[in-house]
Amino acid sequence: MTPAVIARSTRTGCGAASPRCSVWCWSGVARSHGGPGRPRSGGTSSRGDAAGPADPAAVAPPPGVDVPDVVRPAALAPPAPGAGPLDRAAIAAALAPLRDKDLGPHVLAAVAPLTGTGFAYQATEGLPVAMPASTTKVVTSAVALFLLGPDRTFATRTVLERSGTTPRLVLVGGGDPYLTRTPASTDDGTSPTYQPKRADIRTLARSTAASLRASGVSVVRLGYDDTLFSGPAMNPRWEAGYFPEEVSPISPLWLDTGRTADGRTRVANPSATAALEFRRELGRAGIKVSGTTSHAAAAASATAVAQVHSPTLAQIVQRLLEVSDNNAAEVLLRQIGVAEGGAGTFTAGQAAVARVLKANGIDLGTSVLYDGSGLSRSNRLAPQVLVDVLRWAASDRAPQLRPLLAGLPVAGYTGSLDDRMDQGPPAGRGRVRAKTGTLTGVTSLAGIAVDRKGRLMAFALMADRVKAPKATLARTAMDDAAAGLGACLC
């Protein structure tokens, strides 16, 4: 399989059960050509049945047309085995760039077959854990997919309370990380990052207005409910300067990930901002809103009015992994807490992550995570944990985790890796999919690679004592090591 084909697989993801197909297949081929056993168009085959397209060699030419026999080309290469033992010496040679002094004195690495058990290579000198930075999102995404399922969506809705002389309409946040102000353009297929179709507050306001008018309501009071999440909106383990530069206050009700309409900065109260925007759109849609907009939990007896739905969790995961979206990752951590422990807090979310990993045979050991994005400099993670999570996602026992692997950026082609790994072995481009991790003094990569023998492996490479002037050089050394895994004969 060529690097170009591998790169395109991230555009649509894969639905097959086998880890090899779900990681490396180009589902765009199946979609545009019908796929195995499917007609190319119209629902029937060229033979007039629904059995799929006929073998071209079995189709007779039209009367009077003389054509040569179909020649079947020989295979260009034997099928790639996917699994198999890895050569430790070959892996060590491929990872030689990790000895670069620019990476600093604390460099950890782990490499293993994508399927099976055991490790082909481990380097854990000194402390066995390191600051993971955004590779933390691999763990968060895996647990979210496991608990909620790849098809899960999150609804932002309106409900009506008919109390008092004027009924109260309540805007209820459901934890949609990508709710927007207005209908957003969708992915045009040429961007290096995936852009799912998003729900928007304008559409919700118009649907709500139409439903209210149909029930004879033209004037309402307005409230907003963001009680799905609780606890502090900013993680106490984060640096004070993260707002507004790096992350918004985490809320189940926000617009454009908590940013202002022009996208230039983040707002201090995303829920209230969303409610005010909704109020304006409701007025434009012909519903009068009286009084002030209040913060209140919706009554259990309220009547449903309208709702809009987020992209699926699989689509959310792909987007957040490709662009390393801190905000979306933190919303998913809260959703994990709600699903597993009934509380949408940072602590409930992270406790649920630890429980789910343990229940699935992944030992955290001395690893500890305090958030879902990796922004906390207090996080510590062993590279073996990241590798085990990737292998969990590839295993037959967890098919719902496949979007994690399919959503990883492709080296040299998509997302946060579209302009990386261009100085290492050329054969590594397109053969490596990985999540990046970057903080001051930290550079890391965790992902999967297919070597030139076709063997699939999971890897995690981490360095967390990089001197600031060496940051770019350290990142290049890390990239070269990862590209070496794709280029090697391991």
Short mmCIF file of all heavy atoms in Angstrom, two decimals, residues 349-378:
data_model
loop_
_atom_site.label_atom_id
_atom_site.label_comp_id
_atom_site.label_asym_id
_atom_site.label_seq_id
_atom_site.Cartn_x
_atom_site.Cartn_y
_atom_site.Cartn_z
N GLY A 349 -14.06 12.28 36.03
CA GLY A 349 -13.62 11.82 34.72
C GLY A 349 -12.32 11.06 34.80
O GLY A 349 -12.18 9.97 34.21
N GLN A 350 -11.35 11.60 35.53
CA GLN A 350 -10.06 10.93 35.57
C GLN A 350 -10.10 9.65 36.40
O GLN A 350 -9.42 8.67 36.08
CB GLN A 350 -8.98 11.89 36.11
CG GLN A 350 -7.62 11.58 35.55
CD GLN A 350 -7.61 11.43 34.03
OE1 GLN A 350 -7.96 12.34 33.30
NE2 GLN A 350 -7.25 10.25 33.55
N ALA A 351 -10.92 9.63 37.45
CA ALA A 351 -11.10 8.39 38.21
C ALA A 351 -11.71 7.31 37.33
O ALA A 351 -11.35 6.13 37.40
CB ALA A 351 -11.97 8.65 39.44
N ALA A 352 -12.66 7.72 36.47
CA ALA A 352 -13.28 6.76 35.55
C ALA A 352 -12.27 6.24 34.54
O ALA A 352 -12.28 5.05 34.19
CB ALA A 352 -14.46 7.42 34.83
N VAL A 353 -11.39 7.10 34.05
CA VAL A 353 -10.35 6.67 33.12
C VAL A 353 -9.50 5.58 33.76
O VAL A 353 -9.23 4.53 33.16
CB VAL A 353 -9.47 7.86 32.70
CG1 VAL A 353 -8.20 7.37 31.99
CG2 VAL A 353 -10.24 8.79 31.77
N ALA A 354 -9.07 5.80 35.01
CA ALA A 354 -8.23 4.82 35.69
C ALA A 354 -8.97 3.49 35.88
O ALA A 354 -8.39 2.41 35.68
CB ALA A 354 -7.78 5.37 37.05
N ARG A 355 -10.26 3.56 36.24
CA ARG A 355 -11.02 2.33 36.44
C ARG A 355 -11.20 1.55 35.15
O ARG A 355 -11.07 0.33 35.11
CB ARG A 355 -12.40 2.66 37.03
CG ARG A 355 -12.38 3.06 38.49
CD ARG A 355 -13.78 2.99 39.09
NE ARG A 355 -14.71 3.89 38.41
CZ ARG A 355 -14.93 5.15 38.76
NH1 ARG A 355 -14.23 5.69 39.76
NH2 ARG A 355 -15.82 5.89 38.12
N VAL A 356 -11.49 2.26 34.07
CA VAL A 356 -11.71 1.58 32.78
C VAL A 356 -10.42 0.93 32.28
O VAL A 356 -10.44 -0.20 31.79
CB VAL A 356 -12.27 2.58 31.75
CG1 VAL A 356 -12.25 1.98 30.35
CG2 VAL A 356 -13.69 2.99 32.11
N LEU A 357 -9.30 1.63 32.41
CA LEU A 357 -8.03 1.05 31.98
C LEU A 357 -7.72 -0.21 32.79
O LEU A 357 -7.34 -1.25 32.23
CB LEU A 357 -6.90 2.07 32.13
CG LEU A 357 -6.94 3.29 31.21
CD1 LEU A 357 -5.73 4.18 31.47
CD2 LEU A 357 -6.99 2.89 29.74
N LYS A 358 -7.90 -0.14 34.08
CA LYS A 358 -7.62 -1.30 34.93
C LYS A 358 -8.53 -2.47 34.57
O LYS A 358 -8.07 -3.63 34.49
CB LYS A 358 -7.80 -0.93 36.40
CG LYS A 358 -7.48 -2.07 37.36
CD LYS A 358 -7.62 -1.62 38.81
CE LYS A 358 -7.28 -2.77 39.77
NZ LYS A 358 -7.41 -2.35 41.20
N ALA A 359 -9.80 -2.19 34.32
CA ALA A 359 -10.75 -3.25 33.98
C ALA A 359 -10.41 -3.92 32.66
O ALA A 359 -10.82 -5.06 32.42
CB ALA A 359 -12.17 -2.68 33.93
N ASN A 360 -9.66 -3.21 31.82
CA ASN A 360 -9.27 -3.76 30.52
C ASN A 360 -7.82 -4.21 30.49
O ASN A 360 -7.23 -4.35 29.42
CB ASN A 360 -9.54 -2.73 29.42
CG ASN A 360 -11.02 -2.63 29.09
OD1 ASN A 360 -11.54 -3.41 28.30
ND2 ASN A 360 -11.71 -1.67 29.71
N GLY A 361 -7.26 -4.44 31.67
CA GLY A 361 -5.95 -5.05 31.77
C GLY A 361 -4.78 -4.12 31.51
O GLY A 361 -3.67 -4.59 31.23
N ILE A 362 -5.00 -2.81 31.60
CA ILE A 362 -3.92 -1.85 31.37
C ILE A 362 -3.48 -1.29 32.71
O ILE A 362 -4.23 -0.59 33.39
CB ILE A 362 -4.36 -0.72 30.42
CG1 ILE A 362 -4.73 -1.32 29.06
CG2 ILE A 362 -3.26 0.33 30.26
CD1 ILE A 362 -5.31 -0.33 28.09
N ASP A 363 -2.26 -1.61 33.09
CA ASP A 363 -1.73 -1.23 34.40
C ASP A 363 -1.09 0.16 34.32
O ASP A 363 -0.13 0.37 33.59
CB ASP A 363 -0.69 -2.26 34.84
CG ASP A 363 -0.13 -1.99 36.23
OD1 ASP A 363 -0.69 -1.13 36.93
OD2 ASP A 363 0.87 -2.63 36.59
N LEU A 364 -1.63 1.10 35.08
CA LEU A 364 -1.07 2.45 35.10
C LEU A 364 0.24 2.51 35.88
O LEU A 364 1.06 3.39 35.63
CB LEU A 364 -2.07 3.43 35.72
CG LEU A 364 -3.20 3.90 34.80
CD1 LEU A 364 -4.21 4.73 35.58
CD2 LEU A 364 -2.65 4.72 33.64
N GLY A 365 0.44 1.60 36.83
CA GLY A 365 1.67 1.64 37.61
C GLY A 365 1.81 2.98 38.32
O GLY A 365 0.92 3.42 39.04
N THR A 366 2.92 3.66 38.08
CA THR A 366 3.15 4.97 38.70
C THR A 366 2.64 6.12 37.85
O THR A 366 2.84 7.28 38.18
CB THR A 366 4.65 5.17 38.98
OG1 THR A 366 5.38 5.06 37.75
CG2 THR A 366 5.17 4.14 39.95
N SER A 367 1.97 5.80 36.74
CA SER A 367 1.41 6.85 35.89
C SER A 367 0.23 7.52 36.59
O SER A 367 -0.52 6.89 37.34
CB SER A 367 0.93 6.26 34.56
OG SER A 367 1.99 5.69 33.84
N VAL A 368 0.05 8.81 36.34
CA VAL A 368 -1.08 9.55 36.90
C VAL A 368 -1.46 10.66 35.94
O VAL A 368 -0.60 11.34 35.37
CB VAL A 368 -0.74 10.13 38.30
CG1 VAL A 368 0.47 11.07 38.23
CG2 VAL A 368 -1.93 10.85 38.90
N LEU A 369 -2.77 10.81 35.72
CA LEU A 369 -3.28 11.84 34.81
C LEU A 369 -4.29 12.70 35.56
O LEU A 369 -5.16 12.18 36.26
CB LEU A 369 -3.94 11.20 33.59
CG LEU A 369 -3.03 10.39 32.67
CD1 LEU A 369 -3.85 9.66 31.61
CD2 LEU A 369 -1.98 11.28 32.02
N TYR A 370 -4.20 14.01 35.36
CA TYR A 370 -5.09 14.94 36.04
C TYR A 370 -6.06 15.63 35.10
O TYR A 370 -6.94 16.36 35.56
CB TYR A 370 -4.27 15.99 36.79
CG TYR A 370 -3.48 15.43 37.94
CD1 TYR A 370 -2.11 15.16 37.82
CD2 TYR A 370 -4.10 15.12 39.15
CE1 TYR A 370 -1.39 14.63 38.87
CE2 TYR A 370 -3.38 14.58 40.21
CZ TYR A 370 -2.02 14.35 40.07
OH TYR A 370 -1.31 13.81 41.11
N ASP A 371 -5.91 15.44 33.81
CA ASP A 371 -6.83 16.07 32.87
C ASP A 371 -6.99 15.17 31.65
O ASP A 371 -6.45 14.07 31.59
CB ASP A 371 -6.37 17.48 32.48
CG ASP A 371 -5.02 17.50 31.76
OD1 ASP A 371 -4.55 16.43 31.32
OD2 ASP A 371 -4.43 18.59 31.62
N GLY A 372 -7.75 15.64 30.67
CA GLY A 372 -8.00 14.85 29.47
C GLY A 372 -7.19 15.27 28.27
O GLY A 372 -7.09 14.54 27.29
N SER A 373 -6.60 16.46 28.33
CA SER A 373 -5.90 17.04 27.19
C SER A 373 -4.39 16.89 27.25
O SER A 373 -3.72 16.94 26.22
CB SER A 373 -6.23 18.53 27.08
OG SER A 373 -5.76 19.23 28.23
N GLY A 374 -3.85 16.76 28.45
CA GLY A 374 -2.40 16.73 28.61
C GLY A 374 -1.79 18.09 28.89
O GLY A 374 -0.57 18.23 28.89
N LEU A 375 -2.63 19.09 29.15
CA LEU A 375 -2.10 20.42 29.46
C LEU A 375 -1.41 20.46 30.82
O LEU A 375 -0.49 21.25 31.03
CB LEU A 375 -3.22 21.46 29.44
CG LEU A 375 -3.69 21.95 28.07
CD1 LEU A 375 -4.92 22.84 28.21
CD2 LEU A 375 -2.57 22.71 27.36
N SER A 376 -1.84 19.62 31.75
CA SER A 376 -1.25 19.66 33.08
C SER A 376 0.19 19.19 33.07
O SER A 376 0.51 18.11 32.55
CB SER A 376 -2.06 18.78 34.04
OG SER A 376 -1.42 18.72 35.30
N ARG A 377 1.05 19.96 33.69
CA ARG A 377 2.45 19.58 33.80
C ARG A 377 2.67 18.61 34.95
O ARG A 377 3.79 18.14 35.17
CB ARG A 377 3.33 20.83 33.96
CG ARG A 377 3.23 21.78 32.77
CD ARG A 377 4.27 22.92 32.88
NE ARG A 377 5.62 22.41 32.76
CZ ARG A 377 6.25 22.21 31.60
NH1 ARG A 377 5.63 22.46 30.45
NH2 ARG A 377 7.49 21.77 31.59
N SER A 378 1.60 18.29 35.67
CA SER A 378 1.69 17.29 36.74
C SER A 378 1.42 15.88 36.22
O SER A 378 1.64 14.91 36.95
CB SER A 378 0.67 17.62 37.85
OG SER A 378 0.94 18.88 38.43
#
